[in-house]
Amino acid sequence: MSTTEIDRQWTTRLRKRVAGKLPPEKLLPDTQPTYVSSWIYVFGVTTMAALGVVIASGCLLALRGPQWWHTSSVGHFVNSLHLWSVEIFFFAMVIHLWGKYFMAAWRGGRALTWMTGVVTFLTSIATAFTGYVSQSNFDSQWISTQAKDGINSTGAGAFWNVLNSGQMLMWHIVLLPIAAVALTALHVLLVRIKGVVPPFEKTTEVTQ
Amino acid sequence: MSSFGLLAAIWPLTTLGHYVSWHVIQISVANLIVIILMVVTFIVALFAPFPGRRRRKENP
């Protein structure tokens, strides 16, 4: 195979493009700019750490099932771990959102980074909601019957039935987590490609 | 009485929730506390000194 033919392969072109946009030293950098030394930058990584615990505890719940998480003490513990890691996830994510909003983090060609964060936030809300209706207890029955009117008023109830516990469980443990994790990965890769947004320049006052 | 029973006796979780109402806004006390905690954490994160920052400034 000639060099020209190799260069025209889609695998070669894709590899060169990825390596050009995200070389290893940019993907896993040794240092960060000085302005990143602030507590406000910690909440993004806290959100991801909490997401890790959410996924791990969710996998344990999926392994053992509702009988286990409703009746055994270890099941109760893992169920609580799942709930409280979600609480920390949203707590940290909202502070991260506020921080980035006031920094206008979409500056310098970072609009896609900002938008993937927004869509991840919305996806996470849907994931949490389907979790509330998947608990398989009276609480989930109450929430789903209250929510159905709201969902039906939007027209989405035709294909997204909150009273269908099987459908809600599948959305909660398959579709939405895949979307949330994939969007988070894309968000982090975009941060790596574009770098962390720098602070605003200090404005100098001009005396008349 | 187990420790959980004792905790439940001190802090009953089966009673009706408490709500704060202000004009059209109605929010549970629990949610309000979480929002206040988030605001406080945000402000602290802005102004609290980050470990190692001063050292990095002295030795760039």
Side-chain angles (χ1 to χ4, degrees):
Chain A
M1 196 182 278
S2 70
T3 321
T4 325
E5 272 180 307
I6 290 171
D7 284 344
R8 282 176 58 195
Q9 287 184 136
W10 72 267
T11 47
T12 313
R13 282 185 285 132
L14 182 67
R15 189 186 65 246
K16 282 183 176 171
R17 200 168 168 197
V18 170
K21 280 229 175 219
L22 201 61
E25 62 274 12
K26 220 172 169 182
L27 182 65
L28 289 171
D30 299 322
T31 56
Q32 286 288 333
T34 320
Y35 55 79
V36 180
S37 300
S38 164
W39 284 109
I40 203 70
Y41 289 96
V42 170
F43 291 94
V45 81
T46 309
T47 311
M48 283 202 299
L51 179 63
V53 181
V54 171
I55 299 286
S57 56
C59 287
L60 285 174
L61 293 173
L63 275 173
R64 302 301 300 268
Q67 291 295 330
W68 178 69
W69 79 61
H70 281 311
T71 56
S72 76
S73 55
V74 180
H76 281 148
F77 174 74
V78 176
N79 193 26
S80 297
L81 197 64
H82 194 60
L83 169 75
W84 285 103
S85 51
V86 169
E87 299 282 346
I88 294 169
F89 173 78
F90 276 102
F91 192 98
M93 195 195 242
V94 169
I95 295 173
H96 176 66
L97 166 71
W98 288 342
K100 294 296 154 186
Y101 175 77
F102 287 112
M103 284 178 204
W106 49 83
R107 287 175 295 138
R110 293 176 177 82
L112 196 58
T113 315
W114 171 260
M115 285 316 298
T116 50
V118 171
V119 178
T120 310
F121 183 50
L122 296 175
T123 308
S124 305
I125 292 171
T127 315
F129 172 69
T130 52
Y132 278 116
V133 299
S134 300
Q135 295 174 90
S136 69
N137 57 12
F138 287 126
D139 192 25
S140 57
Q141 283 186 24
W142 171 260
I143 295 167
S144 56
T145 47
Q146 294 299 302
K148 79 174 192 319
D149 297 333
I151 300 291
N152 287 348
S153 69
T154 67
F159 57 90
W160 207 65
N161 182 6
V162 291
L163 293 179
N164 184 342
S165 57
Q167 186 194 20
M168 287 303 106
L169 184 66
M170 290 300 120
W171 274 86
H172 181 68
I173 66 171
V174 181
L175 301 174
L176 289 167
I178 288 174
V181 171
L183 283 164
T184 306
L186 180 62
H187 185 70
V188 173
L189 286 177
L190 285 166
V191 172
R192 289 294 187 226
I193 291 169
K194 293 283 180 185
V196 178
V197 69
F200 287 104
E201 291 289 328
K202 259 189 180 173
T203 49
T204 47
E205 279 183 33
V206 180
T207 48
Q208 296 287 325
Chain B
M1 191 185 277
S2 70
S3 55
F4 287 116
L6 187 68
L7 192 65
I10 298 166
W11 199 329
L13 297 171
T14 50
T15 54
L16 286 173
H18 298 283
Y19 286 82
V20 174
S21 297
W22 184 67
H23 297 285
V24 294
I25 296 165
Q26 191 182 39
I27 187 167
S28 71
V29 172
N31 280 343
L32 186 63
I33 289 170
V34 170
I35 292 168
I36 291 167
L37 277 176
M38 283 198 296
V39 174
V40 170
T41 312
F42 179 68
I43 293 166
V44 170
L46 287 178
F47 297 106
F50 194 77
R53 184 169 184 143
R54 188 175 292 175
R55 195 171 57 241
R56 217 166 294 167
K57 268 185 181 170
E58 284 166 1
N59 308 309

